Amino acid sequence: MKNFLKVILPVVAFTLASAGAVSTNNAKIADSKKTVLISGFIQNPSPANCLPVSVDCTTTTGQACMSNEATPRQVWLKNAANACSVNLYKVAH
């Protein structure tokens, strides 16, 4: 019986550790795919006058980020001079 336990216990411990590692990795992947609303800005009417909006956009390339208004307008981030002129892009789902 002692020999049986010496062989089985390490196998069971390895199996549980492997299952835990796989489930943790899947949770991290799922978390990374969640969308996050960020504060963007609409030019009103010039880049020096900005109105804040919450959007699901990113700074990586793609289609231009647009507001959720009846007439969508492009959404920007502010630059170092506090003007809304840095491009934002739609998050690809």
Side-chain angles (χ1 to χ4, degrees):
M1 186 67 170
K2 282 186 177 180
N3 288 337
F4 180 72
L5 288 177
K6 285 182 181 179
V7 172
I8 294 299
L9 284 179
V11 171
V12 170
F14 178 76
T15 304
L16 289 174
S18 297
V22 169
S23 64
T24 302
N25 189 37
N26 288 340
K28 286 180 183 177
I29 291 170
D31 284 345
S32 69
K33 291 183 179 181
K34 289 182 182 176
T35 59
V36 177
L37 292 178
I38 62 169
S39 292
F41 299 90
I42 298 171
Q43 296 176 349
N44 187 38
S46 69
N49 187 6
C50 306
L51 295 176
V53 293
S54 290
V55 289
D56 183 16
C57 296
T58 182
T59 55
T60 58
T61 60
Q63 286 185 326
C65 181
M66 304 299 282
S67 66
N68 292 328
E69 301 170 314
T71 305
R73 296 188 281 175
Q74 188 168 358
V75 180
W76 309 82
L77 280 179
K78 288 187 177 182
N79 63 12
N82 209 28
C84 38
S85 61
V86 178
N87 288 325
L88 277 177
Y89 303 96
K90 277 185 173 180
V91 173
H93 293 284

